Amino acid sequence: MPTFLFHDTVFGPVHSRRLGVSLGVNLLPTDSKFCNFNCIYCECGWTGHGDMPKLPPKKLVHSLLLERLQGMANEGKRLDAITFAGNGEPTIHPDFAEIIDFTLEARDRLAPGAKVVVLSNATMLHHPRVAHALRRVDQAALKLDSAIDATLQLIDGPQMPLTARQVIDRLLAFGHSYTLQTLFLRGEYAGKRVDNTTPAEVEAWLAAVQELRPKDVMVYTIDRDTPAAGLQKAPLEVLEAIAMRVERLGIPAQVSG
């Protein structure tokens, strides 16, 4: 199915369903996806294979972000968030920590009301500089799409050896000040049924949430076209029921259907 890429290093601002008026930062290539996951639902398409692509230099990221923030400040435009997302996993960038340092300083000067947000698949949390940078931002949204390993492998397609338990352990070591985000979906892929909304899946996931006790939880579903055919949105009422069970654990939950 058709998917899309972010063709700029700094893009927007866009109106995000979750973050409001958001200025995006893409630390990956602008002409292809680069990620250590190959999620079947990713709006950016499939992860390519081959050598490390050319990533935007930190000086370029700094200058583009500063130019956009200064322009918005001069025009008095509202900004709710500076969001690191883009064409893959942002924490892969070798200068991720330094870029976060610069972004926080620029935000404090030019857009003090905006949050700095990072959308991450949590795979790089075992790298101290990445973890330290993520602890400094206003919102680190870290992914756990399933607590059952076979389902995580099917949905997220890790490009390296990685188990659901390893992701949970990295989240535990990170602490509690983050948003746990999970995309729920149904359908078929590679001849297998895909459904992380079944009772067994939800029970295992809720047990992980109770163990992790993040600051809050965001449950959502497919919003755009996916690279894999045969996938379906999780119904809103299912998302709301899952969120209610999270709330019963004493953890705030948000639904984005």
Side-chain angles (χ1 to χ4, degrees):
M1 297 176 70
T3 54
F4 78 93
L5 294 169
F6 298 94
H7 294 293
D8 297 291
T9 298
V10 177
F11 56 92
V14 298
H15 289 269
S16 165
R17 58 179 174 156
R18 288 174 276 171
L19 299 168
V21 180
S22 174
L23 191 64
V25 182
N26 171 33
L27 299 183
L28 290 310
T30 57
D31 59 355
S32 63
K33 179 184 170 187
F34 182 62
C35 193
N36 53 13
F37 270 9
N38 201 12
C39 298
I40 60 177
Y41 60 76
C42 182
E43 63 192 29
C44 296
W46 295 116
T47 300
H49 299 281
D51 296 334
M52 169 80 80
K54 184 178 180 180
L55 303 180
K58 63 182 178 183
K59 287 186 178 180
L60 175 64
V61 178
H62 293 176
S63 64
L64 291 173
L65 183 58
L66 192 62
E67 178 183 12
R68 192 65 59 86
L69 288 174
Q70 187 69 68
M72 292 186 71
N74 291 344
E75 295 172 18
K77 290 186 176 179
R78 166 188 160 198
L79 183 63
D80 298 315
I82 302 166
T83 306
F84 286 80
N87 299 330
E89 172 54 37
T91 63
I92 290 175
H93 196 292
D95 296 319
F96 173 75
E98 293 176 53
I99 292 169
I100 290 296
D101 287 343
F102 173 85
T103 302
L104 290 168
E105 185 274 330
R107 183 278 311 273
D108 291 346
R109 285 192 295 111
L110 297 169
K115 298 191 299 183
V116 175
V117 180
V118 179
L119 308 182
S120 170
N121 62 21
T123 55
M124 301 289 284
L125 293 178
H126 57 304
H127 294 278
R129 286 177 57 77
V130 170
H132 177 69
L134 287 172
R135 290 188 185 103
R136 297 189 63 213
V137 302
D138 300 287
Q139 184 179 13
L142 306 177
K143 181 198 303 234
L144 178 66
D145 283 335
S146 177
I148 296 177
D149 193 54
T151 306
L152 183 143
Q153 301 298 324
L154 185 62
I155 293 176
D156 292 340
Q159 301 296 284
M160 65 295 194
L162 185 73
T163 66
R165 186 66 241 178
Q166 285 176 309
V167 178
I168 292 167
D169 286 342
R170 290 175 188 181
L171 289 165
L172 280 170
F174 181 74
H176 305 284
S177 295
Y178 64 93
T179 297
L180 185 73
Q181 60 172 8
T182 301
L183 186 142
F184 289 95
L185 76 167
R186 295 171 174 174
E188 292 187 3
Y189 173 66
K192 298 179 181 179
R193 181 67 183 164
V194 181
D195 189 349
N196 59 348
T197 71
T198 66
E201 285 284 343
V202 173
E203 290 296 337
W205 179 81
L206 284 168
V209 172
Q210 186 167 24
E211 181 182 5
L212 292 168
R213 303 211 62 84
K215 179 178 65 177
D216 55 6
V217 171
M218 179 177 294
V219 297
Y220 63 114
T221 191
I222 297 166
D223 185 47
R224 297 188 176 99
D225 288 335
T226 62
L231 304 181
Q232 305 151 15
K233 285 175 172 278
L236 181 60
E237 59 270 23
V238 170
L239 298 179
E240 290 174 339
I242 292 170
M244 285 180 61
R245 296 187 67 181
V246 174
E247 296 271 1
R248 291 192 199 112
L249 299 176
I251 301 169
Q254 177 184 351
V255 173
S256 184

